[in-house]
Amino acid sequence: MASNKPVILISGSDGGIGTAIVTELSEHGYRLSLAAMDTTVLMEKFGPETPDKIYQPFNAFERGSAEAWVDRTAKTFGQIDGLVNAIGLALRVTIMDDNDADLDKLWEVNVKTPLRLARLCMPYLEACGKGRVVNLISLGGKRIRNVSVGYGMTKFAAMGLTHAIRTYGWEKGVRATALCPGWVRTSMGLKSPTLKIQPDAMTDPATIAFLVRTALELPNNAAMAEMVVNCEFEDVF
């Protein structure tokens, strides 16, 4: 008998937040399609593939990689109900840095890859009548507090992408949410040169994963366009 469990693609599933999302959704009965440059990393984290969980090699810098991933997911499960873009890159490019190479990488990973995956998944999300897209943006997509302008620009663009997705898919039941956390206790966050708080004060990745599941499970008539999450006081939020 075919399963009626929702099928969710998760980009960046081998990262700190991505790993927490996989754990959260697995514990609540979702079928998952996960991708990474090296799928052995996924096997080490989550065990072998199962009827409810597949792994796909994925390179954000190769267009055909996204197409192959979505195509295999649709053929394996017969449906796609949600897309969670947890993929992200945090290269430091400031206003005075003439560094198009790193800037291009930021745009490719933080903006173009989520757009490409959303475009490829959209027919399936529309078909199910309650498709969901959750983009992990960060508070860097809401305000700028440092000179890493390359990261900030791409996160602002990712915020615009999220709103464009929800506008495009609204009439067919697609809901898109921008999840914007501040400091999250991951290896990437802990290595940030701008970090000024203690690790135990940072948001736990499991909390972000819970909010992702919340966004996936909210009904069509109670959509949240943005979830802003902070671990330190900011008077604009």
Side-chain angles (χ1 to χ4, degrees):
M1 177 181 291
S3 172
N4 61 358
K5 299 176 184 176
V7 175
I8 311 294
L9 274 81
I10 307 175
S11 70
S13 50
D14 55 340
I17 294 177
T19 296
I21 295 169
V22 172
T23 300
E24 175 77 13
L25 297 187
S26 294
E27 291 176 350
H28 287 82
Y30 285 82
R31 291 181 287 170
L32 303 178
S33 179
L34 313 179
M37 289 278 287
D38 182 359
T39 56
T40 60
V41 175
L42 299 175
M43 293 186 67
E44 291 170 358
K45 283 178 177 283
F46 310 118
E49 287 191 349
T50 70
D52 288 341
K53 181 177 58 186
I54 63 171
Y55 305 142
Q56 177 73 15
F58 177 68
N59 185 341
F61 299 100
E62 296 178 0
R63 288 184 63 96
S65 186
E67 295 170 356
W69 180 20
V70 173
D71 184 61
R72 183 190 172 203
T73 303
K75 288 179 177 177
T76 299
F77 297 115
Q79 65 193 76
I80 297 174
D81 304 286
L83 166 66
V84 177
N85 280 307
I87 194 170
L89 191 63
L91 299 175
R92 185 176 173 84
V93 179
T94 71
I95 289 176
M96 299 307 292
D97 290 335
D98 185 7
N99 187 352
D100 277 358
D102 280 355
L103 191 58
D104 288 346
K105 290 176 183 177
L106 285 165
W107 282 102
E108 191 68 42
V109 174
N110 293 347
V111 184
K112 294 173 71 175
T113 292
L115 168 58
R116 188 171 297 129
L117 289 170
R119 182 187 296 128
L120 292 167
C121 289
M122 187 59 70
Y124 304 100
L125 300 177
E126 291 179 335
C128 79
K130 51 183 179 179
R132 297 290 182 265
V133 177
V134 181
N135 290 331
L136 271 293
I137 307 293
S138 105
L139 282 177
K142 297 287 290 181
R143 83 296 188 254
I144 300 296
R145 297 180 64 188
N146 57 61
V147 298
S148 187
V149 67
Y151 180 81
M153 286 194 304
T154 57
K155 288 301 184 176
F156 267 74
M159 178 65 79
L161 167 63
T162 307
H163 285 284
I165 292 169
R166 64 187 295 270
T167 301
Y168 179 87
W170 185 269
E171 294 301 323
K172 293 189 177 180
V174 179
R175 302 292 181 260
T177 300
L179 181 48
C180 305
W183 293 110
V184 181
R185 193 167 57 251
T186 64
S187 59
M188 185 170 76
L190 292 169
K191 292 176 183 176
S192 173
T194 61
L195 180 64
K196 296 179 181 179
I197 64 173
Q198 295 299 312
D200 60 359
M202 301 167 75
T203 303
D204 193 289
T207 302
I208 304 302
F210 168 77
L211 293 174
V212 168
R213 183 169 64 84
T214 300
L216 293 173
E217 295 180 355
L218 285 172
N220 282 5
N221 60 3
M224 293 187 69
E226 299 181 13
M227 292 183 175
V228 179
V229 185
N230 213 335
C231 58
E232 55 184 344
F233 178 76
E234 293 187 50
D235 58 9
V236 295
F237 300 116

